[in-house]
Amino acid sequence: MKAYERLLNYVVVRTPSDENSETVPSSACQFDLARLLEAEMKELGLTDVILDDQCYLYGKLPATEGLEDKPAIGFIAHMDTVSDFCDHDIKPIVTENYDGGELRLGTSDTILSPKNFPHLAGLKGRTLITSDGTTVLGADDKAGIAEIMTMIERIQEEKIPHGPLCVAFTPDEEIGTGASHFNVEQFGADYGYTLDGDTEGEIQYENFNASTALITIHGVSVHTGTAKDVLVNSQTIGTEFHQMLPVSERPETTE
C-alpha cells in the first residue's frame, strides 16, 4: 500500500486531543486509531505489539539475521490532532497535478494561496492532499504514521537488511503531554526519530520548547470614579508581562 493511501485511511478517523481533559489519553477517540494501527502492525509482522491503557502503542521489527547486534533505531509519530475545526467528519480532497496557483478547498470558501504560503509554488505538478476546507486534515501527524507503516512494509517486501527497528505511536502531542507517559524501556530504541517535521530529505536536530505556562493575574476592580491608587488593571499587567519576554526569542524571530 502507498503511503498516501494509508494517510487517506487514517485522517478520516477523528482523533482530536482535549487540553481541558484530566484523563490519559485526553480523548477516548484516540483509541479508535490506535486499535486500527495495532491490527495493521501485527499484519505487517511486527512483534511485541502492545497498546497500553493510556493509548501508547509500541511494536518491534526484529533485525535481519546477523544484524542483531546493531543499534536499535526507533521511529515515532503521534496519533492525535488539534481540536480546532475537528467537530465533524473529515473529507480529504486529492488534487492531482497541482498548477502552483490558488487552490480552493472543496466547495468551501477557504483558499490556499502562494501569497500566504510561498512553499506552494514549489509543489507545482505534484499531487496534494488537503481537507475540504471545513475541518483540519490531520496530516499532522498521520502522515508520519503512514510513512512509518509504509517503510515497515517496504522493508519486509524487499527484504532490506536492517538492525532492530522500534515503532511507537503516541497520544496527546498537540496538548504538550505526549511524552509524559512514554515508556522508553518498552520502546527499546538506542536512537529515535520523530516523523513530524518538514520536507523530504531533511532531518531536524533542534526543537522548540512546547511547554505551557498558565499565568493568573489578580487585579483590583473598582469604579473608575474612585480608581486613583486603588484600581489594578490585570490586562495592563498582562501587557507589561508580555513586553518583558525576550523579543529575540519569540517564534516569529527564531529558527
Side-chain angles (χ1 to χ4, degrees):
M1 185 182 297
K2 301 290 186 182
Y4 81 88
E5 295 173 323
R6 284 193 163 88
L7 175 61
L8 292 174
N9 289 338
Y10 300 156
V11 295
V12 296
V13 183
R14 292 177 57 254
T15 56
S17 47
D18 180 2
E19 64 182 354
N20 296 313
S21 171
E22 296 183 358
T23 64
V24 181
S26 65
S27 55
C29 61
Q30 295 180 68
F31 272 111
D32 296 337
L33 180 59
R35 294 188 182 99
L36 183 155
L37 294 173
E38 179 187 24
E40 190 172 343
M41 289 167 71
K42 292 177 179 178
E43 291 174 2
L44 289 176
L46 272 70
T47 63
D48 302 309
V49 177
I50 294 176
L51 174 60
D52 68 20
D53 59 2
Q54 295 177 313
C55 204
Y56 288 77
L57 178 59
Y58 307 92
K60 293 181 172 63
L61 186 64
T64 303
E65 186 175 353
L67 299 178
E68 295 89 351
D69 62 338
K70 301 301 179 184
I73 305 299
F75 299 91
I76 308 169
H78 65 88
M79 295 178 285
D80 65 313
T81 68
V82 295
S83 58
D84 306 281
F85 304 103
C86 196
D87 59 353
H88 59 277
D89 290 347
I90 296 171
K91 299 178 181 178
I93 302 292
V94 178
T95 301
E96 297 182 353
N97 195 26
Y98 168 57
D99 63 11
E102 292 191 343
L103 178 66
R104 183 179 295 277
L105 302 185
T107 59
S108 72
D109 293 329
T110 302
I111 296 176
L112 292 183
S113 171
K115 294 179 181 178
N116 298 324
F117 306 100
H119 71 279
L120 285 173
L123 300 177
K124 182 178 181 179
R126 304 187 70 170
T127 296
L128 303 188
I129 301 175
T130 66
S131 75
D132 66 354
T134 66
T135 67
V136 295
L137 177 63
D140 177 9
D141 187 28
K142 292 171 184 175
I145 297 174
E147 291 164 354
I148 293 171
M149 297 295 264
T150 304
M151 174 193 71
I152 294 296
E153 183 179 52
R154 189 73 57 83
I155 287 173
Q156 298 277 61
E157 290 181 347
E158 299 182 11
K159 295 180 172 53
I160 300 173
H162 60 87
L165 299 181
C166 309
V167 173
F169 300 129
T170 64
D172 293 338
E173 187 270 356
E174 295 292 353
I175 59 174
T177 61
S180 298
H181 303 277
F182 187 79
N183 190 327
V184 176
E185 183 177 350
Q186 178 63 51
F187 185 42
D190 296 305
Y191 304 94
Y193 295 90
T194 298
L195 275 73
D196 188 8
D198 216 308
T199 55
E200 306 99 320
E202 180 172 294
I203 296 178
Q204 299 173 338
Y205 58 90
E206 293 180 315
N207 187 36
F208 66 93
N209 189 323
S211 294
T212 298
L214 299 178
I215 301 169
T216 301
I217 300 172
H218 297 281
V220 176
S221 179
V222 64
H223 191 282
T224 52
T226 55
K228 180 97 170 39
D229 297 328
V230 178
L231 173 68
V232 179
N233 190 320
S234 59
Q235 295 185 59
T236 300
I237 295 174
T239 301
E240 293 172 353
F241 177 83
H242 177 73
Q243 293 302 318
M244 292 170 65
L245 299 177
V247 175
S248 62
E249 296 181 17
R250 294 174 181 172
E252 63 267 32
T253 60
T254 61
E255 295 181 277

